[in-house]
């Protein structure tokens, strides 16, 4: 599917629509099937024990799939998560950014389905795997 938003357009969209979290995420690459997104891990993302919190890992998966959808459909701010599943497989490396490699598995008129494999930067084995489904709002006529 053709790209309708590039990295700069996705960053501008996040800054405009989600200014409270936009600085946490960086689009690293757009791929033929998805997107690579970085969570810039900061102190606020950590939980006791010095590891990245589950909600922060989930946010990365959710934002990455959302941006993958927008990169194909354009700025559809009201696309919403309707289903999600995440497996936390190992502890992230403390203080290291997380990278989500995301694939769009289906992009239809009403639903989009994607998955994200999340790694600590520079590590071979994933820390989490997420499956996300989004509802795409109808186009206003």
């Amino acid at each position: 599917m053709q790209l309708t938003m590039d990295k700069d357009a996705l960053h501008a969209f996040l800054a405009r629509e989600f200014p409270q979290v936009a600085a946490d995420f960086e689009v690293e690459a757009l791929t033929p099937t998805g997107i690579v997104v970085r969570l810039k891990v900061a102190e606020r993302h950590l939980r006791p024990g010095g590891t990245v919190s589950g909600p922060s890992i989930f946010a990365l998966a959710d934002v990455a799939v959302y941006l993958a959808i927008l990169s194909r459909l354009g700025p559809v701010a009201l696309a919403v998560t309707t289903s999600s599943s995440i497996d936390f497989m190992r502890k992230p490396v403390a203080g290291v950014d997380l990278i989500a490699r995301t694939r769009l598995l289906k992009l239809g008129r009403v639903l989009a389905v994607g998955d994200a494999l999340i790694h600590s930067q520079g590590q071979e084995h994933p820390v989490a795997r997420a499956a996300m489904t989004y509802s795409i709002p109808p186009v206003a006529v």
Side-chain angles (χ1 to χ4, degrees):
M1 177 170 253
Q2 187 88 351
L3 290 176
T4 60
M5 295 178 78
D6 63 13
K7 290 180 358 178
D8 291 338
L10 291 168
H11 285 131
F13 176 85
L14 273 181
R16 183 177 63 253
E17 299 295 333
F18 300 98
Q20 67 276 26
V21 297
D24 289 349
F25 301 100
E26 181 177 339
V27 176
E28 298 273 307
L30 293 165
T31 71
T33 59
I35 194 169
V36 179
V37 178
R38 171 185 302 270
L39 171 64
K40 301 175 196 170
V41 174
E43 184 70 29
R44 68 183 167 280
H45 299 114
L46 303 182
R47 63 171 300 249
T51 189
V52 179
S53 71
S56 295
I57 296 170
F58 177 85
L60 173 58
D62 197 30
V63 167
V65 173
Y66 182 64
L67 292 177
I69 293 165
L70 297 185
S71 74
R72 273 45 179 200
L73 294 181
V76 184
L78 296 179
V80 295
T81 309
T82 58
S83 177
S84 64
S85 173
I86 190 164
D87 297 308
F88 298 102
M89 298 184 286
R90 56 187 48 84
K91 184 177 176 180
V93 177
V96 173
D97 288 354
L98 294 179
I99 308 296
R101 286 176 174 69
T102 305
R103 296 181 303 161
L104 284 180
L105 304 173
K106 175 188 191 281
L107 185 57
R109 280 185 320 103
V110 179
L111 290 178
V113 178
D115 65 13
L117 198 56
I118 300 171
H119 291 78
S120 289
Q121 180 180 352
Q123 299 298 304
E124 177 183 357
H125 299 292
V127 299
R129 176 187 65 93
M132 313 293 289
T133 302
Y134 272 77
S135 175
I136 301 167
V139 177
V141 183

